Every structure is written in C-alpha cells, then in structure tokens.
C-alpha cells in the first residue's frame, strides 16, 4: 500500500506518494516517490479522495514495471535515443536530420518530463509550426556576381576558401553556383578573400509557412523518441500515437515533356563528357542524385549492358562526403541501352588519359563521376552543375529527381508493368510506386482502354465485317 504524506505549505496543498519496490542487489530498499497537487477548485475533502486514487494508480504502475517517477526530460532522453539508434546502425544522415529538428522541439517540450507529455502538448506544437510566422529563415545572402571567378582571381580555390573561413566546402560551392547562403557565412567568405560584401552579395530574408511534410517530420521524430520510452516502460503510452499531426498534402509529380527531354539532351552534347555522362545517366536510369554520383566502374557489366546500383554518396557537415547504402538499403541491376554503353566507353578512355596526365595529383577511386582531381564527387556538385547548365542554355527548371519521375512516366505510357518500374526505381515496395504515380497509371490506363477500343470497335476490319454481315 502506498504511503501518503499530506503537506500544506506556501504554495498550497500537495501530497507525496511513497511506494516500496523490494530491494536492490546490495540489499537496500528501493523507494519510488511522486508529488501530486490537486486542482485549485477542489475542496480539501475532495483532494484527499482524489489523492488516494492517484496513489493507487501510482502504486499499480510501479507494480507493472513502469517508472512514473522518472524525471528525465524529453531533451535528455532524445539524446539517449539518438545515440541508441546510431549504435544500432541507423544511417548517419538520418541521425543528422533528427538533430536538425531538435532545437525547435526542445524549445517547445524539451524541458518537460517524459511522464508529463500529453497529446495536447504535441497538438499545440504542431499548430505552432503551421503558423504563418513559424518559418522565419535567418537572413540570407544571394551572390550577384561570379564569386567563383572572383575567388580564383584572388588566388583562392573553393577548398582553401572554405578552410580559411571555417565553413563547409559545400557552402562555398553553393555560392559559386549562384545559390543563396546564410549572410554570416557570406561575410566570412568576404573576410578571408578580400571581397567587398556589398559589391558581391544582396541580402534577403524570407518568411514561409512550414509544409505539412516538414511538420510530419517533427511528429515522426517525437514519435520515435516516445516509442522508445514506452518500450523501456518509462511512459505507460506514446503520446505521439494519440496526437493529431496534419495530413500530408499530396503534391503532383512533376515530369518533363518529351520535347523538353530532347532539348536537355541536345544541350548536354555541348558540355564536357563528364557532365554529358551525368545528364545521360539521370535521364536513362532514373536513379537518385546520390546514386548517380555513387556509381562505380566495377559495377558496370560491359557484356550484359547493365550497371549494379548498390551505393550512394551523401554529405553531412559532420562527415563531409561519404559512401552509404541506397535509400532502401537494397541493390538493383539496371539495363542500359547501347548509346549509354558507348558513351561510358568513351568517357572511361578519357578519364584514364586524365589520370595519367595528373599523375600523383589524381585521387584514385572506383567512382564513374569524380571530382576535378579524382576521388568522390559531392552530390551538391552535381546539383550545382545542373543549375549552371539550366541557366546557360535557357532550359526548363532542372532538378535531378524530375528525371526520375519522367522515366517512370515514359515507362507507364509505354506499357511497362508496375513491378518492373518499381524495381528500376529501387522502391522497397510496389505499392510505393503505385501510390506515387497513381495519376500516371490512371492516364496510361485510359490510353490503353482507347487503344483496345480502336482495335476492337473502330478498326477497318470490324467495319468491313459489319458490311459483309
């Protein structure tokens, strides 16, 4: 039976519950304690009765193995869960993504004990994220000149600039490609390079509402943390399971039209062969950006005209560029047409010549697409090229993933089955492919119905048969 201590102090009436839970390995008695305060509108008699009920509930939870007196906060326990997931083999990029969510979460519920978190707290947090002023981006600086050329004129490479400024090289790459970066980082670049900030950058800030997808990312992480707490019996239930996050808004899959793909193909013919290969592989394979830069020569089957996709390159500020598994941690073989194989042979020959020319400066690697001096290519470098490529030729907006959607569209309208398309895309389940491209499937099915009708009801042979009858 729980022992109840009643106290009347400056802060009002409170009750302390003490439950004995046996002995530890040293023979010392284990006690669990909890302080409970009644609502202010209760009379003392009502409070006594309610305290007895709360004490019974507290004692029962102890008997069931829960730790209702555990005072760990969400912020403390989240760090433990991240470490646990990391040691269990969770991808570094996933852990890095979780950490990026923590500042906002901790500001809202990080101080709260796990035991005290309720669905209403989470619902209010999700609502706050959807407010119009929830996403006030830090001031950003947009380059208004060729920063890459300016750095080169000052005798600085992008790698050296990043090192002197104490920032990631991908940030310097982004500036060189014309992308906006945090203003404070642009200032650092100017300080180490001697460039005048007002001459080379335009300051902008933008206010944007968080999307439902982003809010759901917060919800999933909170759910992961509280699920572990429930599993370890710190909490009797996962409050996130009972919360109501926003429903994900389905966005229409954006694809290139055939004439746009031809326009991009023709423009790529004017580029150095390395970038021709990059654009070609994006169009033909439908691989993700990280999988494209992670392709290896040893995975090319020259006899079978295919390539094995079993790795991807990714980037995080903590690790830089590193190799990881594919998104679904699976591998797949993609067949390639003869045009692709011929281009790869030509590029392979030229890459070997570059390697011999650079000698010891070349960084050996098995990657098909490499940096200027060999070694792995950052996924951001590919994105940077696509931006410059788009502007240079006045092409439709180019995004690596758009090629992936376009390939799926072409295959659906060519009559390929969902299983084959799913395997080529590297989806873990066919249902993922069908759900993502549901509108394409419907359109392709409509066309198929029309073709069947053309063959059976609208053909000349049918009309001739009617006349003969």
């Amino acid at each position: 039976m729980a022992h109840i201590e009643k106290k009347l102090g400056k802060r009002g009436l409170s009750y302390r519950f003490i439950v004995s839970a046996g002995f530890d390995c040293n023979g010392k008695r284990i006690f669990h304690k909890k302080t409970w305060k009644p609502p202010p509108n209760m009379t003392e008699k009502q409070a006594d009765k309610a305290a007895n009920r709360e004490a019974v509930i507290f004692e029962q939870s102890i008997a069931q193995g829960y730790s209702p007196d555990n005072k760990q906060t969400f912020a403390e326990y989240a760090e433990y869960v991240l470490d646990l997931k990391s040691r269990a083999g969770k991808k570094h990029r996933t852990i890095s993504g979780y950490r990026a969510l923590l500042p906002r979460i901790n500001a809202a519920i990080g101080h709260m004990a796990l035991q005290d978190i309720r669905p209403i707290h989470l619902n209010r947090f999700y609502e706050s994220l959807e407010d119009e002023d929830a996403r006030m981006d830090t001031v950003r600086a947009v380059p208004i000149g060729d920063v890459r050329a300016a750095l080169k004129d000052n005798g600085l490479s992008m790698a050296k600039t990043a090192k002197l400024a104490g920032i990631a090289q991908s940030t310097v790459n982004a500036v060189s490609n014309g992308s906006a970066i945090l203003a404070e980082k642009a200032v650092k670049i100017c300080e180490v390079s001697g460039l005048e900030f007002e001459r080379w950058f335009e300051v902008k800030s933008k206010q944007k509402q968080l999307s439902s997808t982003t809010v759901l990312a917060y919800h999933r992480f909170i759910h992961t943390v509280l699920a572990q707490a429930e599993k370890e019996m710190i909490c009797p239930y996962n409050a996130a399971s009972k919360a109501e996050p926003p429903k994900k808004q389905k966005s229409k899959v954006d694809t290139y039209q055939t004439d746009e793909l031809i326009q991009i193909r023709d423009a790529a013919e004017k580029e150095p062969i390395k970038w021709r290969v990059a654009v070609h592989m994006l169009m033909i394979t439908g691989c993700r950006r990280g999988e494209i830069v992670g392709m290896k020569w040893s995975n090319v089957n020259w006899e079978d005209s295919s390539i094995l996709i079993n790795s991807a390159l990714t980037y995080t500020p903590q690790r830089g560029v590193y190799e990881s598994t594919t998104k679904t941690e699976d591998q797949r073989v993609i067949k390639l047409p003869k045009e692709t194989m011929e281009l790869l042979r030509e590029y392979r020959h030229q890459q070997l010549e570059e390697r011999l020319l650079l000698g010891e400066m070349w960084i050996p690697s098995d990657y098909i697409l490499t940096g200027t001096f060999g070694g792995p290519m950052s996924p951001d470098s590919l994105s940077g090229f696509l931006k410059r490529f788009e502007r240079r030729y006045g092409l439709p907006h180019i995004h690596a993933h758009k090629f992936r959607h376009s390939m799926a569209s072409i295959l659906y309208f060519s009559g390929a089955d969902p299983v084959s398309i799913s395997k080529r895309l590297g989806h873990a389940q066919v249902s993922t492919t069908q759900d993502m491209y549901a509108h394409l499937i419907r359109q392709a099915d409509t066309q198929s119905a029309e073709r069947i009708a053309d063959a059976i009801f609208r053909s000349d042979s049918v009309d001739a048969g009617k006349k003969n009858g």
Side-chain angles (χ1 to χ4, degrees):
M1 182 69 182
H3 174 68
I4 303 175
E5 293 179 354
K6 182 177 177 181
K7 294 183 179 180
L8 184 60
K10 294 180 179 179
R11 296 184 179 180
L13 185 64
S14 66
Y15 298 82
R16 191 186 190 201
F17 311 142
I18 303 174
V19 175
S20 174
F23 300 87
D24 62 17
C25 59
N26 297 316
K28 186 178 180 181
R29 187 176 289 278
I30 301 171
F31 288 104
H32 291 278
K33 302 173 184 178
K34 178 182 178 181
T35 299
W36 177 79
K37 293 190 69 174
N41 59 338
M42 276 190 176
T43 64
E44 187 171 344
K45 188 175 181 180
Q46 290 173 329
D48 288 342
K49 192 173 182 180
N52 283 317
R53 287 197 303 269
E54 291 293 329
V56 171
I57 294 171
F58 179 63
E59 186 176 23
Q60 288 175 344
S61 62
I62 295 295
Q64 292 169 358
Y66 293 104
S67 303
D69 52 343
N70 190 309
K71 296 299 180 183
Q72 277 191 95
T73 64
F74 182 92
E76 293 168 341
Y77 193 72
E79 289 296 333
Y80 161 75
V81 172
L82 287 175
D83 182 58
L84 193 69
K85 298 295 181 184
S86 180
R87 285 188 281 110
K90 200 74 172 179
K91 287 186 177 182
H92 172 71
R93 187 174 181 83
T94 302
I95 299 297
S96 181
Y98 284 157
R99 287 198 178 280
L101 301 174
L102 268 176
R104 257 203 187 100
I105 296 174
N106 285 343
I109 62 171
H111 63 286
M112 296 182 67
L114 294 168
Q115 296 288 337
D116 297 335
I117 297 174
R118 297 290 182 268
I120 191 171
H121 299 130
L122 302 183
N123 289 337
R124 286 172 179 168
F125 174 57
Y126 303 148
E127 287 172 10
S128 71
L129 291 178
E130 292 185 291
D131 287 344
E132 290 186 3
D133 60 346
R135 179 177 175 176
M136 184 62 186
D137 287 358
T138 309
V139 177
R140 303 180 77 80
V142 182
I144 52 178
D146 192 344
V147 177
R148 182 196 295 266
L151 292 175
K152 190 175 181 180
D153 291 342
N154 289 359
L156 292 173
S157 66
M158 289 186 286
K160 188 174 181 180
T161 302
K163 187 174 182 181
L164 291 173
I167 59 180
Q169 186 175 334
S170 61
T171 302
V172 184
N173 291 344
V175 169
S176 301
N177 296 327
S179 300
I181 63 169
L182 292 176
E184 60 185 63
K185 294 187 178 181
V187 169
K188 290 181 180 179
I189 291 174
C190 291
E191 288 174 348
V192 301
S193 63
L195 300 180
E196 186 181 350
F197 181 83
E198 289 76 11
R199 159 70 179 78
W200 291 97
F201 291 94
E202 181 182 358
V203 176
K204 288 185 177 181
S205 61
K206 60 181 180 179
Q207 189 171 315
K208 188 177 179 182
Q209 185 178 355
L210 289 177
S211 67
S212 60
T213 301
T214 303
V215 178
L216 283 171
Y218 282 94
H219 167 72
R220 282 192 290 268
F221 177 54
I222 294 172
H223 189 283
T224 297
V225 174
L226 295 182
Q228 187 64 34
E230 182 184 21
K231 189 176 181 180
E232 295 184 351
M233 301 187 78
I234 297 173
C235 296
Y237 71 98
N238 184 342
S241 296
K242 300 177 182 295
E244 295 184 10
K247 291 183 178 180
K248 185 176 180 179
Q249 298 172 354
K250 285 190 176 182
S251 56
K252 186 179 178 181
V253 174
D254 195 14
T255 62
Y256 292 110
Q257 298 300 313
T258 303
D259 60 332
E260 291 177 325
L261 289 171
I262 293 173
Q263 185 183 0
I264 293 169
R265 179 203 66 188
D266 292 345
E269 290 299 316
K270 304 171 186 177
E271 292 294 313
I273 190 167
K274 178 175 79 173
W275 297 117
R276 288 197 344 245
V277 169
V279 174
H280 191 101
M281 297 305 273
L282 281 167
M283 296 175 78
I284 289 296
T285 66
C287 285
R288 304 174 179 92
R289 184 185 68 160
E291 294 172 344
I292 293 289
V293 294
M295 290 178 173
K296 298 178 180 179
W297 288 115
S298 59
N299 286 339
V300 177
N301 189 324
W302 300 100
E303 295 180 359
D304 189 46
S305 297
S306 63
I307 185 168
L308 172 68
I309 307 299
N310 62 356
S311 63
L313 291 180
T314 188
Y315 169 86
T316 63
Q318 297 81 10
R319 283 192 182 181
V321 178
Y322 67 96
E323 184 177 310
S324 181
T325 59
T326 61
K327 186 176 181 180
T328 55
E329 300 185 0
D330 205 349
Q331 59 183 28
R332 63 193 188 279
V333 174
I334 294 178
K335 296 288 287 186
L336 302 173
K338 65 177 183 178
E339 291 84 355
T340 305
M341 300 305 296
E342 290 171 1
L343 182 62
L344 285 175
R345 285 190 180 92
E346 182 185 351
Y347 175 51
R348 178 66 165 161
H349 179 71
Q350 183 170 315
Q351 192 182 73
L352 290 172
E353 289 183 345
E354 280 186 42
R355 181 175 179 176
L356 291 173
L357 186 65
L358 290 170
E360 293 183 357
M361 294 175 64
W362 182 264
I363 303 170
S365 77
D366 189 32
Y367 296 112
I368 294 177
L369 297 172
T370 66
T372 306
F373 297 98
M377 176 193 287
S378 169
D380 290 337
S381 295
L382 177 57
S383 296
F385 163 75
L386 293 176
K387 285 183 180 179
R388 297 192 302 275
F389 178 58
E390 172 191 327
R391 291 197 298 264
R392 192 152 47 237
Y393 298 100
L395 298 169
H397 175 59
I398 294 182
H399 190 280
H401 224 69
K402 194 171 178 178
F403 289 109
R404 183 173 168 84
H405 297 323
S406 300
M407 188 200 73
S409 175
I410 292 170
L411 291 176
Y412 272 119
F413 284 100
S414 298
D417 64 279
V419 175
S420 300
I421 298 173
S422 180
K423 286 182 178 179
R424 192 172 181 90
L425 291 172
H427 286 157
Q429 298 176 333
V430 178
S431 58
T432 302
T433 312
Q434 293 175 315
D435 182 56
M436 184 175 293
Y437 300 108
H439 71 290
L440 292 178
I441 296 173
R442 287 193 295 271
Q443 291 176 24
D445 187 55
T446 299
Q447 288 192 9
S448 297
E450 291 299 315
R451 291 194 192 100
I452 294 170
D454 286 340
I456 298 175
F457 302 116
R458 304 165 187 164
S459 66
D460 293 338
S461 59
V462 171
D463 293 337
K466 286 181 179 178
K467 290 178 182 178
N468 292 335

